[in-house]
């Protein structure tokens, strides 16, 4: 009888240990391993790109490093783009994504998002003298767009007659297509394309901005502790003034960052 009771006690301890292991949060796992794997899109200035020394730099790169430092862990940065941002997150290859990821209803069905740490809208660049002056003028025209991006979804819905030319790397591939005149236009996040078009003498931006959207950290579903930690971090990032400083660092000292304390209109 004594042995039986001891066996039951040991079994209960083992079950309790196993249960705690199964339900250990992703946040705890990251802190225990001392490494966080963050997907960052390094496809375009100034959000994420490579410098002359082949080092990753940019607004999102700085933000990812801030997260790792605040968490007290080593950063393992993984270059991601397009659809891979979501698939690698869902498959567990990434812990989080800080990859210029716009919050959309479709994506919210697959992954969870933090509060916004940035905000931008879509902008369209066209060849000067092309006769394209409005969104409707893209009908029948070739437009380069990042595969799996919100720009692709927007054009497929709003201008179905546009001829989409997909690229996995808007920079440099999409930019090169525009520079060489192989496409009539390109669509990307305004934060990126406004910065780049200033360097291209044969291109101009259409005046309107479309689909203003929140940029947030992507997290695999079922990790509420990690989402809460990131939300607290984002709140401090904004309230401390670091958000404004980082924005001006990359877009210029006179640039005005979007107000993230107000809901997206």
């Amino acid at each position: 009888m004594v042995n039986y009771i001891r066996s039951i006690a040991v079994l209960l301890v083992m079950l309790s240990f196993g249960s705690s292991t199964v339900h250990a949060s992703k946040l705890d796992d990251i802190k225990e391993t001392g490494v966080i794997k963050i997907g960052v899109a390094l496809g375009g200035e100034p959000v994420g790109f490579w410098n002359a020394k082949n080092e990753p730099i940019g607004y999102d790169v700085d933000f990812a490093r801030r997260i790792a430092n605040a968490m007290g862990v080593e950063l393992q940065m993984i270059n991601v783009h397009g659809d891979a941002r979501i698939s690698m997150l869902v498959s567990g290859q990434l812990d989080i994504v800080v990859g210029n990821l716009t919050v959309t209803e479709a994506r919210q069905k697959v992954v969870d998002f933090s509060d916004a740490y940035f905000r931008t809208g879509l902008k369209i660049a066209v060849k000067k003298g092309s006769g394209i002056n409005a969104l409707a003028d893209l009908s029948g025209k070739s437009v380069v767009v990042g595969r799996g991006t919100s720009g692709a979804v927007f054009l497929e819905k709003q201008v179905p007659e546009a001829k989409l030319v997909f690229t996995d790397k808007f920079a440099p591939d999409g930019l090169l297509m525009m520079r060489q005149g192989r496409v009539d236009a390109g669509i990307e996040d305004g934060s990126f394309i406004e910065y780049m078009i200033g360097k291209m003498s044969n291109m101009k931006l259409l005046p309107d901005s479309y689909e203003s959207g929140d940029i947030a950290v992507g997290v695999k579903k079922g990790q509420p502790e990690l989402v809460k930690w990131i939300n607290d971090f984002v709140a401090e990032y904004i309230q401390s003034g670091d958000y404004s400083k980082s924005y001006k660092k990359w877009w210029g000292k006179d640039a005005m960052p979007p107000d993230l304390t107000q809901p997206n209109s």
Side-chain angles (χ1 to χ4, degrees), residues 8-265:
I8 293 295
V10 171
L11 179 60
L12 289 173
V13 169
M14 292 176 64
L15 288 173
S16 175
F17 177 78
S19 175
S20 63
T21 301
V22 170
H23 295 288
S25 74
K26 185 63 177 179
L27 179 61
D28 291 337
D29 289 343
I30 293 169
K31 291 182 176 180
E32 183 175 343
T33 60
V35 177
I36 184 168
K37 296 177 291 185
I38 303 183
V40 180
L42 300 174
E45 304 174 45
V47 176
F49 59 108
W50 304 93
N51 65 13
K53 297 180 180 179
N54 203 33
E55 300 166 330
I57 60 173
Y59 178 85
D60 273 359
V61 174
D62 285 353
F63 189 76
R65 286 175 174 151
R66 287 176 183 273
I67 289 177
N69 289 337
M71 201 174 287
V73 297
E74 177 186 345
L75 170 60
Q76 182 179 343
M77 192 181 305
I78 301 169
N79 187 13
V80 295
H81 50 79
D83 293 334
R85 293 175 296 179
I86 300 297
S87 61
M88 291 178 70
L89 182 63
V90 172
S91 66
Q93 297 177 68
L94 303 171
D95 294 322
I96 62 175
V97 170
V98 179
N100 200 30
L101 193 62
T102 306
V103 179
T104 66
E105 290 185 9
R107 287 172 178 163
Q108 286 177 314
K109 296 176 181 178
V110 183
V111 300
D112 288 331
F113 286 96
S114 71
D115 294 334
Y117 70 92
F118 191 61
R119 182 173 292 156
T120 187
L122 296 170
K123 296 285 286 187
I124 296 170
V126 302
K127 290 194 302 182
K128 291 180 179 178
S130 65
I132 301 173
N133 299 302
L135 180 64
D137 295 335
L138 292 177
S139 180
K141 303 294 185 179
S142 58
V143 186
V144 63
V145 61
R147 195 184 311 276
T149 63
S150 52
V153 175
F154 172 76
L155 280 186
E156 287 170 345
K157 180 179 179 180
Q158 298 296 329
V159 193
E161 297 82 11
K163 301 174 183 177
L164 303 190
V165 179
F166 292 100
T167 178
D168 288 326
K169 296 181 180 180
F170 198 89
D173 298 344
L175 293 173
L176 184 61
M177 290 181 195
M178 289 193 291
R179 185 176 289 112
Q180 295 179 340
R182 288 187 282 154
V183 292
D184 299 303
I187 184 169
E188 250 293 352
D189 288 335
S191 58
F192 164 65
I193 205 164
E194 285 177 336
Y195 181 89
M196 294 305 301
I197 291 305
K199 303 179 180 182
M200 301 171 64
S201 59
N202 66 328
M203 303 293 294
K204 69 175 184 178
L205 288 172
L206 296 186
D208 292 330
S209 182
Y210 308 93
E211 299 284 299
S212 176
D214 288 338
I215 305 296
V217 178
V219 181
K220 186 176 181 179
K221 282 191 173 296
Q223 300 171 4
E225 296 89 351
L226 183 54
V227 173
K228 181 182 183 304
W229 188 96
I230 296 172
N231 283 342
D232 291 342
F233 172 83
V234 169
E236 174 62 22
Y237 174 66
I238 296 170
Q239 293 167 8
S240 67
D242 286 343
Y243 161 60
S244 180
K245 290 177 183 177
S246 186
Y247 188 91
K248 291 176 182 292
K249 171 185 175 181
W250 293 107
W251 279 274
K253 63 180 181 179
D254 296 325
M256 292 300 295
D259 185 359
L260 299 181
T261 63
Q262 300 298 320
N264 187 27
S265 56

